[in-house]
């Protein structure tokens, strides 16, 4: 493996670490209750897609019970904030959002990951009406009932679609297959917040997928804390769906989802050996050839301190084998730099590994202590200036790799799903791009397309992140 020499005097764009990986979601207006009716609830969802699914479930139940959803503080009789608490910046964003809701409205319920730290929230915001932890749907509803009694409503005038309330565009949806995680990563407190692995019943997942497809969803984004471990907690027992037996496993789930004939994208997959079982499905076009795998580091010593599974060299061999089975495979990952005890030699190993792996999409975070994480007790903390320097070096290497890999797309024709219409034309994504976290495909000058349309695009230009192209002419026209 080789790596370019770092020149600290070289001029290059400065990378900025994101506060969270996903945008804040404010629930749209739903219902028609009058202001002051005692039925109007504002809802803000922060953090990852797993939190978003929790928000959708709470909102669905609120609408079933006849509550109206509003998108302003002023018009709400109560505001619910679904928080994130994974890293310090996310905690601060959650606390700031709670403070804003209290200032603008005054009646606030808090739920989500940060809700597991009830004392911390109450110390800073003692006026919140109630606090619950993650995926505590029933408790949230109980707290709502205590402050806003269930409204009298005619269910025929406020029908809820079979797929429930969604906070994503109509054409894609997150499909959560499990809660919790069995890993003990030293930098993470998610298991203490969300518990150990708890796989959803296979039939329940497939029924939801069927409802989403019927509602017009064209892309399912499979999410969990540990997608590859799906079914481990129930020993991969045989379940039944539509009267047929089906094993509770990631492979069987992918095989069944592939039968729906829509895009299926896998997120948060650890580098287990069983990933290889899914690669043939990707090579055959039944599941998108896309894997979101949080490698986190490459130094064996740092991985051991992190208590992460996998060996860096073995992982490189896995990646090579996966690409041999499915040459179109796109891999995205996340990494942490500046972990306690990380030396320059450890970091150089990471850069060398990155050069060898040539991943398609990469996110990076500078390590920050998280309250309750065992990594806080590790010695040899890395200086903040060193973290920043390593972060910039890491992102510079990955930006070059990404630019080179995207340049290889020029001249190709790619199937693109349209997300929105912008100033320059339609904006969409190929199979290589997940919404909000990856790149985009800009189809210049096309304004007559609609979100959810799937079109073939000839790629004509690429930059560090995005592709630019034109519609492929239909020979039949």
């Amino acid at each position: 493996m080789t790596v370019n020499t770092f020149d600290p005097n070289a001029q290059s764009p400065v990378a900025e670490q994101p506060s969270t990986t996903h945008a804040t979601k404010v629930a749209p207006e739903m219902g028609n209750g009058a202001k002051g009716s005692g039925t109007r609830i504002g809802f803000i969802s922060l953090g990852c897609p797993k939190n978003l699914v929790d928000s959708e479930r709470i909102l669905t139940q609120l609408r079933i019970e006849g509550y109206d959803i509003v998108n302003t503080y002023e018009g709400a009789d109560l505001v619910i904030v679904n928080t994130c608490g994974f890293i310090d910046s996310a905690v601060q964003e959650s606390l700031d959002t709670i403070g804003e809701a209290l200032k603008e409205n005054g009646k606030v319920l808090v739920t989500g990951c940060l809700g597991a730290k009830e004392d911390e929230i109450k110390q800073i915001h003692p006026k919140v009406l109630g606090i619950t932890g993650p995926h505590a749907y029933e408790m949230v509803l109980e707290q709502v009932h205590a402050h806003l009694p269930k409204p009298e409503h005619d269910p025929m005038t406020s029908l809820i679609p079979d797929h429930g309330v969604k906070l994503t565009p109509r054409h894609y949806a997150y499909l959560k297959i499990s809660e919790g995680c069995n890993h003990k990563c030293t930098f993470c407190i998610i298991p203490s917040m969300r518990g150990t692995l708890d796989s959803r019943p296979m039939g329940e997942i497939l029924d939801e997928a069927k409802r989403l497809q019927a509602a017009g969803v064209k892309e399912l984004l499979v999410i969990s804390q540990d997608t590859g471990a799906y079914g481990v907690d129930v020993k991969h027992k045989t379940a039944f769906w539509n009267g047929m037996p089906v094993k509770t496993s990631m492979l069987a789930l992918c095989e069944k989802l592939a039968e729906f004939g829509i895009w299926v994208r896998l997120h948060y997959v650890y580098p287990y050996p069983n990933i290889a079982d899914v690669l043939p499905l990707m090579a055959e076009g039944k599941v998108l050839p896309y894997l979101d795998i949080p490698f986190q580091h490459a130094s064996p010593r740092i991985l051991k301190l992190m208590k992460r599974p996998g060996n860096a060299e073995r992982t490189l061999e896995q990646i090579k084998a996966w690409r041999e089975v499915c040459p179109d495979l796109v891999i995205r990952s996340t990494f942490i730099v500046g972990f306690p005890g990380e030396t320059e030699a450890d970091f150089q190993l990471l850069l060398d590994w990155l050069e060898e792996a040539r991943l398609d999409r990469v996110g990076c975070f500078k390590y920050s202590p998280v309250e309750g994480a065992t990594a806080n007790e590790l010695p040899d903390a890395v200086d903040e200036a060193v973290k920043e320097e390593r972060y910039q070096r890491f992102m510079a290497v990955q930006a070059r790799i990404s630019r080179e890999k995207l340049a290889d797309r020029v001249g190709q024709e790619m199937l693109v799903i349209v997300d929105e219409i912008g100033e320059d034309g339609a904006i969409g994504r190929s199979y290589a791009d997940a919404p909000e976290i990856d790149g985009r495909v800009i189809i210049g000058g096309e304004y007559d397309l609609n979100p959810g349309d799937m079109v073939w695009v000839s790629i004509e230009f690429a930059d560090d992140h995005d592709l630019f192209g034109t519609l492929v002419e239909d020979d039949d026209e």
Side-chain angles (χ1 to χ4, degrees), residues 403-432:
R403 183 168 57 250
E404 292 169 355
K405 299 207 74 168
L406 288 176
D408 291 341
R409 298 283 187 188
V410 175
Q412 294 183 9
E413 293 183 358
M414 304 187 75
L415 183 61
V416 171
I417 187 168
V418 176
D419 283 334
E420 60 180 308
I421 306 301
E423 292 182 1
D424 299 324
I427 301 172
R429 295 173 291 106
S430 73
Y431 81 90

Side-chain angles (χ1 to χ4, degrees), residues 27-267:
E29 292 273 354
M30 289 177 276
N32 51 17
K35 183 178 179 181
S37 63
T39 67
R40 295 161 63 87
I41 296 174
F43 201 105
I44 302 170
S45 183
L46 304 170
C48 68
K50 294 176 284 294
N51 235 30
L52 188 73
V53 172
D54 291 344
S55 295
E56 291 174 340
R57 290 180 179 175
I58 295 170
L59 286 166
T60 296
Q61 191 58 40
L62 288 171
R63 289 293 295 131
I64 287 173
E65 294 186 358
Y67 291 97
D68 299 290
I69 308 301
V70 298
N71 58 11
T72 62
Y73 289 124
E74 182 182 0
D77 299 300
L78 179 72
V79 175
I80 300 174
V81 180
N82 192 3
T83 59
C84 179
F86 181 53
I87 59 176
D88 285 352
S89 58
V91 170
Q92 190 58 53
E93 181 182 19
S94 293
L95 291 173
D96 289 346
T97 303
I98 295 168
E100 178 183 279
L102 284 168
K103 179 181 177 182
E104 299 296 329
N105 182 277
K107 297 179 180 179
V108 178
L109 294 177
V110 175
T111 190
C113 288
L114 189 60
K117 301 179 180 179
E118 183 174 352
D119 292 342
E120 180 178 339
I121 296 173
K122 285 186 174 180
Q123 183 178 1
I124 299 173
H125 298 302
K127 293 184 179 180
V128 296
L129 299 178
I131 301 172
T132 55
H135 57 88
Y137 318 120
E138 295 83 1
M139 292 179 65
V140 174
L141 269 294
E142 289 174 5
Q143 290 187 350
V144 170
H145 299 157
H147 298 281
L148 296 182
K150 286 186 183 181
E152 293 183 7
H153 76 294
D154 181 355
M156 298 304 295
T157 64
S158 56
L159 295 176
I160 307 300
D162 287 342
H163 62 274
V165 174
K166 289 176 67 268
L167 295 179
T168 53
R170 182 173 182 265
H171 59 281
Y172 70 82
Y174 293 102
L175 183 66
K176 184 156 66 170
I177 64 172
S178 66
E179 292 284 0
C181 179
N182 288 342
H183 291 293
K184 304 295 183 183
C185 302
T186 57
F187 56 82
C188 181
I189 58 173
I190 293 299
S192 66
M193 292 179 172
R194 292 183 173 264
T196 56
L197 180 68
D198 182 13
S199 300
R200 287 180 68 191
M202 178 71 81
E204 184 179 305
I205 296 171
L206 295 175
D207 283 342
E208 181 179 352
K210 186 175 182 179
R211 292 193 298 270
L212 290 168
Q213 181 197 32
V217 167
K218 298 181 179 180
E219 178 181 11
L220 290 173
L221 299 105
V222 177
I223 59 170
S224 67
Q225 293 298 140
D226 185 0
T227 295
Y230 175 69
V232 168
D233 55 316
V234 294
K235 299 181 179 180
H236 300 302
K237 70 178 182 181
T238 299
F240 289 86
W241 188 65
N242 284 352
M244 298 296 292
V246 56
K247 187 177 181 180
T248 305
S249 69
M250 181 179 71
L251 175 60
L253 176 62
C254 289
E255 289 172 339
K256 284 298 180 183
L257 291 177
E259 295 177 5
F260 288 93
I262 57 180
W263 280 10
V264 177
R265 189 184 300 276
L266 302 180
H267 284 280

Side-chain angles (χ1 to χ4, degrees), residues 246-423:
V246 56
K247 187 177 181 180
T248 305
S249 69
M250 181 179 71
L251 175 60
L253 176 62
C254 289
E255 289 172 339
K256 284 298 180 183
L257 291 177
E259 295 177 5
F260 288 93
I262 57 180
W263 280 10
V264 177
R265 189 184 300 276
L266 302 180
H267 284 280
Y268 316 121
V269 183
Y270 283 75
Y272 300 127
N274 69 338
I275 292 178
D277 297 336
V278 181
L279 266 296
L281 292 177
M282 295 182 174
E284 295 166 12
K286 296 179 179 180
V287 173
L288 290 183
Y290 177 102
L291 283 173
D292 180 357
I293 305 176
F295 292 119
Q296 305 297 13
H297 214 281
S299 164
R301 195 176 67 85
I302 297 302
L303 286 170
K304 185 175 181 180
L305 289 173
M306 289 180 170
K307 291 190 177 179
R308 292 289 297 176
N311 174 280
E313 290 299 328
R314 189 179 304 122
T315 301
L316 286 175
E317 294 173 3
Q318 283 181 301
I319 292 173
K320 181 180 178 180
W322 297 339
R323 286 171 171 162
E324 288 176 352
V325 175
C326 183
D328 291 332
L329 179 65
V330 163
I331 302 175
R332 97 167 316 274
S333 188
T334 53
F335 294 85
I336 297 173
V337 297
F339 191 79
E342 182 190 64
T343 64
E344 179 62 25
D346 291 318
F347 179 67
Q348 190 64 47
L349 278 173
L350 174 57
L351 291 185
D352 291 348
W353 189 92
L354 197 64
E355 292 276 7
E356 186 79 8
R358 292 186 64 79
L359 305 181
D360 300 86
R361 300 292 190 185
V362 168
C364 182
F365 288 89
K366 291 172 286 186
Y367 173 80
S368 62
V370 177
E371 184 180 350
T374 56
N376 299 342
E377 303 169 7
L378 294 174
D380 303 320
V382 178
D383 184 80
E384 289 299 323
V386 175
K387 290 181 189 178
E388 177 64 24
E389 179 203 40
R390 290 176 182 171
Y391 173 76
Q392 294 296 334
R393 291 164 63 186
F394 179 96
M395 293 308 296
V397 169
Q398 180 55 38
R400 173 176 51 77
I401 294 171
S402 175
R403 183 168 57 250
E404 292 169 355
K405 299 207 74 168
L406 288 176
D408 291 341
R409 298 283 187 188
V410 175
Q412 294 183 9
E413 293 183 358
M414 304 187 75
L415 183 61
V416 171
I417 187 168
V418 176
D419 283 334
E420 60 180 308
I421 306 301
E423 292 182 1

